[in-house]
Amino acid sequence: MKKYRLSDETRLWHGEYNGEKFGVTLRQLIALRDFSDVPSGARGGWVEDETALSQEGLCWIYDENSVVFAGARIRDNARLTQPCVVSHGASISGNAWLDAAQVSHHAQISDNVTVQQSMVRGECRIFGNARILHNSTVIAAQGMTPDAKTLLQIYDNATVMHSRVVHQAQIYGNAMVSHAFVEHRAEIFDNALLEGNEVNDVWVCDCARVYGDARLLAGMEEDAIPTLRYGSQVAGRAVIEGNCVLRQHVRVGGEARLSGGPIMLDDGVVIEGRARISGNVLIEHQVEITDDAVIEALEKESIHLRGAKVVNGETRITRTPLLGAL
């Protein structure tokens, strides 16, 4: 037995994509029987045809200002509340909940996912218990890395808030991403935390990875933006805070802490142990800093470490060493 019918009256819905305007004729949902919390006779959202909303399961489009068209599908027990726009081959299934959301262009939303006040566009998979919240934007685009067919994915218990995730990024595990920009083939996973603010985002780009219990924290000052690029990794219980840039294949792990800045690490630098780096510091070309070593540039001073060397033990550096001193 069908659970809904389509209204006789129609509505012309106007939209725009890639600068081209279009219109689509929609008809309203009318419940034929009681199911879930939907009473018989209740009016729901507007759809292009009956393929948009399954007659099976408890799925429903609650808000009368929601629209589903252009081959999009709502099925199983999925729910749409507040005004939503779902279009262009998007698939919403399982127990997914869309609330004031826009989902389009073959995005797949399933399982127990929540998408709230956010947009998801492009061929991607969001599944598990993932949450996309608070004006986040997810835009999938394949072919941005050598792994041309890799899909953007957000899954497990990952949460994305106030953030922009694009291209082929991967966010999973218990990762928490807030006020951040994650792009290309970057990966955020395990219990990693990216925490920006209203002034500065955290940036993780290219093929960089943040995992373990690592934390990247933006500051409120100008340019206090932690940035990872070109295969750099932050793992363990490491903390990167403020104006810190990790470029070519830098690795920070253990309980290392970088703060303040501007700090620039480049070209195979490794920071491990309980090392501490702060102030205006440039470290490049195969330098390894570990144990309880401290690199601390005093106010109005700067430090430059360069070349293959190891700084370990309880070494403390507060100025650029003389040539050959390390």
Side-chain angles (χ1 to χ4, degrees), residues 256-259 271-279 281 283 288-298 303 305 311-321 326:
R257 186 179 187 107
L258 281 62
S259 60
I271 313 294
E272 291 281 359
R274 293 169 297 279
R276 298 290 182 268
I277 301 174
S278 62
V281 176
I283 304 174
E288 180 178 346
I289 300 172
T290 188
D291 299 333
D292 293 293
V294 174
I295 313 296
E296 181 183 17
L298 303 178
I303 296 174
L305 298 182
V311 180
N312 56 15
E314 297 183 359
T315 302
R316 183 182 182 91
I317 297 175
T318 59
R319 63 180 61 187
T320 301
L326 284 177

Side-chain angles (χ1 to χ4, degrees), residues 124-201:
C124 62
R125 296 182 64 232
I126 304 179
F127 58 101
N129 298 307
R131 300 184 300 161
I132 313 298
L133 310 173
H134 306 316
N135 299 306
S136 290
T137 299
V138 177
I139 301 178
Q142 292 173 276
M144 302 302 295
T145 73
D147 303 315
K149 295 184 179 180
T150 298
L151 293 180
L152 184 154
Q153 295 188 116
I154 303 173
Y155 57 101
D156 292 336
N157 297 308
T159 298
V160 175
M161 303 183 292
H162 304 289
S163 295
R164 182 176 174 89
V165 181
V166 301
H167 302 146
Q168 297 166 285
Q170 309 288 305
I171 303 177
Y172 54 100
N174 296 309
M176 179 74 70
V177 175
S178 177
H179 290 284
F181 180 30
V182 182
E183 68 170 340
H184 295 139
R185 190 58 174 79
E187 288 189 64
I188 317 297
F189 58 101
D190 292 338
N191 298 307
L193 170 66
L194 274 55
E195 186 174 346
N197 51 58
E198 295 81 2
V199 177
N200 293 313
D201 289 338

Side-chain angles (χ1 to χ4, degrees), residues 3 58 90 99 135 139 158 165 199 229 246 270 281 309 313 315 322:
K3 67 184 180 186
L58 303 177
D99 185 56
N135 299 306
I139 301 178
V165 181
V199 177
R229 306 203 65 180
L246 281 60
V270 176
V281 176
K309 58 176 64 71
T315 302
L322 296 174

Side-chain angles (χ1 to χ4, degrees), residues 48-62:
E48 190 169 12
D49 53 47
E50 282 195 19
T51 63
L53 180 75
S54 175
Q55 293 282 2
E56 305 296 325
L58 303 177
C59 54
W60 188 245
I61 304 169
Y62 286 83

Side-chain angles (χ1 to χ4, degrees), residues 27-52:
R27 298 168 68 187
Q28 191 172 24
L29 303 171
I30 302 175
L32 292 174
R33 57 180 173 84
D34 295 347
F35 63 95
S36 185
D37 56 351
V38 179
S40 178
R43 289 179 174 263
W46 295 74
V47 300
E48 190 169 12
D49 53 47
E50 282 195 19
T51 63

